[in-house]
Amino acid sequence: DVNMPGGEILVRQTQYGKGYYRDKLGVDATVAWLVDTFGHNGQMPQVLKLGGYKSFWFSRGVPRPDHPSEFLWEGIDGTQIPSFWLPYSYGLFYGSPSDPAHFKAFAKQRYDMLGRNTRGSDRVACAGADVSVPEEQLAPMVEQYNKQGGAPLTLRLAAPTEFEAAVAPRPGGPAWPVFKGELNPIFQGTYSSRIELKQWMRLAQQKLTAAEKLTCLARWLGGKADNSLLWRAWEPVLFSETHDCASGVMTDHVHQDTLGSYEFANRLADQII
């Protein structure tokens, strides 16, 4: 979620997430993938750009159904970030058929659905669902589709950055439309649900940022400081701000696990302080 956590927590999310990808995979993540989040505050373009992100992908919060799927989102301070809206959410190409005839019709139908929101011929449809494994038939079907003669489209399995490069504004070409403001409100009831989660979130932010400041002072005064303990305390807090956990729409036993994560982080923060 990016509405309820404070700015410091959003910065830690970037530090922790991008650090993980650098350490484990040797890559710098540049795509802000917020496709299932319940709305987006108007400060995010600045937060994302300063965090090293080059694009923003999402599926909720535009003001009208014919909103452009590719545009520049301008934040409160004037920062702009290339943004990619998924009009039919993140599973448009999921559930594709495994026989050529039905697959051909499926691909054309999904392509046409996106015509209202894009001005170009390149269109993107995510091939996944909430919690799903890749569909084994998809890659062979795409290959077979592209080999047949007279196909109305060319299909390509690609990463978000490859689509971004394909549709990027060209010199002398038309400029992307600019949207200013918040991509809200969506699912407002989630922000009053299970209020204790919001209270724990705020307490955790206050304690852990205080612990960081005291750690810096201790190091400056010649004492020892353990950053690994700080990150061990931050990790369950950052995880618990996943949009479903933070908003309180999960089942009761997950809710209890989330409270336990906050309590664990609180104990570590007290220890550090």
Side-chain angles (χ1 to χ4, degrees):
D1 187 82
V2 297
N3 278 328
M4 292 181 292
E8 289 290 341
I9 286 187
L10 295 176
V11 171
R12 298 309 181 282
Q13 291 279 13
T14 298
Q15 288 180 304
Y16 189 88
K18 290 173 77 75
Y20 177 90
Y21 280 107
R22 281 195 298 267
D23 294 343
K24 302 297 183 181
L25 301 176
V27 299
D28 181 33
T30 61
V31 176
W33 190 255
L34 292 163
V35 297
D36 201 17
T37 310
F38 301 150
H40 311 269
N41 75 76
Q43 195 72 18
M44 287 306 295
Q46 181 186 31
V47 172
L48 294 174
K49 288 295 284 289
L50 289 175
Y53 294 103
K54 298 178 181 179
S55 64
F56 166 68
W57 289 67
F58 72 111
S59 65
R60 298 193 178 106
V62 298
R64 63 182 198 276
D66 62 344
H67 194 280
S69 53
E70 294 86 40
F71 63 98
L72 295 176
W73 184 20
E74 183 173 315
I76 295 171
D77 72 321
T79 298
Q80 295 182 344
I81 188 167
S83 299
F84 299 83
W85 175 47
L86 303 173
Y88 297 94
S89 193
Y90 48 80
L92 181 59
F93 218 77
Y94 186 70
S96 57
S98 57
D99 65 282
H102 287 95
F103 185 87
K104 181 178 181 180
F106 174 87
K108 183 63 166 59
Q109 190 260 347
R110 294 302 194 269
Y111 179 87
D112 291 341
M113 287 173 65
L114 297 166
R116 175 174 62 173
N117 304 104
T118 183
R119 294 181 299 172
S121 59
D122 293 291
R123 302 174 188 181
V124 63
C126 295
D130 236 5
V131 181
S132 63
V133 297
E135 296 180 304
E136 294 184 5
Q137 84 281 1
L138 182 58
M141 282 290 98
V142 168
E143 183 178 14
Q144 187 172 346
Y145 177 94
N146 288 332
K147 287 181 178 178
Q148 64 182 329
L153 310 169
T154 298
L155 300 181
R156 180 180 177 186
L157 294 174
T161 50
E162 294 174 279
F163 181 77
E164 292 170 12
V167 300
R170 304 290 186 249
W176 278 19
V178 176
F179 175 82
K180 301 179 182 180
E182 294 194 338
L183 295 166
N184 277 315
I186 292 292
F187 302 158
Q188 297 98 309
T190 65
Y191 296 109
S192 58
S193 173
R194 301 192 192 265
I195 198 64
E196 63 272 23
L197 290 175
K198 286 70 168 174
Q199 295 168 326
W200 270 110
M201 183 190 306
R202 186 56 51 89
L203 177 65
Q205 172 179 305
Q206 292 170 340
K207 280 199 174 182
L208 285 172
T209 51
E212 284 187 352
K213 295 170 186 176
L214 291 171
T215 298
C216 289
L217 288 173
R219 186 182 292 113
W220 179 61
L221 293 170
K224 294 182 179 180
D226 185 2
N227 282 340
S228 64
L229 190 61
L230 271 170
W231 278 121
R232 189 181 176 205
W234 270 118
E235 194 275 340
V237 174
L238 301 179
F239 182 88
S240 297
E241 287 161 9
T242 308
H243 68 283
D244 280 336
C245 288
S247 60
V249 302
M250 76 288 283
T251 58
D252 288 344
H253 75 277
V254 178
H255 172 63
Q256 292 300 323
D257 285 345
T258 304
L259 291 178
S261 294
Y262 279 125
E263 291 167 354
F264 170 78
N266 185 61
R267 290 194 299 271
L268 284 185
D270 284 340
Q271 177 184 336
I272 296 167
I273 290 171

